[in-house]
Amino acid sequence: PMLDARRMEVYAALYDRALKEVRPVGADIVEADTYKAFLDQHHVFFFGNGADKCKAEIVHPNAHFIDNVTPLAEKAMAEERFEDVAYFVPFYLKDFVAKAAKPLL
C-alpha cells in the first residue's frame, strides 16, 4: 500500500504474497530507481493514492499499477469499526517540523 505524502514523497510498505512484511512503512521520495532493488528481483504491485505519483516516474517491466483499491478507512467504516478519538493515538511516521512564517512583504 502506498499513501500520498507531500511533493514527490509517499509513505509505503512492502509485503510478499503471503502478506509478510518485506519492508516496514517508510517515507520514500519517488524517483525512477526508488524501488529498483525490489523491481529487479520481483514483480511489484503499486496501489493506493500514492501510486499515481509513481506511474510517471517508475518505468520497469516488473512494476504493475492497480487502480481503484478500496482504502482501508472506507472498509472499516462500512464494517462500522470506529476508533474512540479520545483514546486513539495515531501513528505518525515523521515528527512534525514547524517552520517560521515567511514575511508577507
Side-chain angles (χ1 to χ4, degrees):
M2 183 172 281
L3 297 174
D4 190 359
R6 292 180 287 165
R7 299 178 197 93
M8 286 305 286
E9 191 173 37
V10 294
Y11 299 132
L14 291 161
Y15 299 89
D16 66 11
R17 290 181 185 192
L19 298 180
K20 179 182 168 197
E21 188 177 78
V22 174
R23 196 206 75 180
V25 66
D28 301 323
I29 296 181
V30 178
E31 296 174 341
D33 62 347
T34 300
Y35 301 104
K36 187 173 182 345
F38 297 103
L39 289 164
D40 285 344
Q41 299 289 322
H42 307 281
H43 291 275
V44 177
F45 295 86
F46 296 85
F47 61 92
N49 65 0
D52 289 338
K53 286 181 179 179
C54 295
K55 282 183 183 178
E57 295 293 323
I58 298 174
V59 179
H60 193 284
N62 285 340
H64 308 282
F65 297 91
I66 302 172
D67 297 323
N68 303 320
V69 174
T70 303
L72 296 176
E74 286 183 26
K75 183 179 178 186
M77 189 169 185
E79 295 171 356
E80 297 185 8
R81 288 186 292 121
F82 305 103
E83 295 291 341
D84 185 342
V85 295
Y87 301 101
F88 180 74
V89 178
F91 170 63
Y92 292 109
L93 189 60
K94 297 191 314 187
D95 291 332
F96 175 73
V97 178
K99 295 181 181 180
K102 294 180 182 178
L104 296 175
L105 298 174

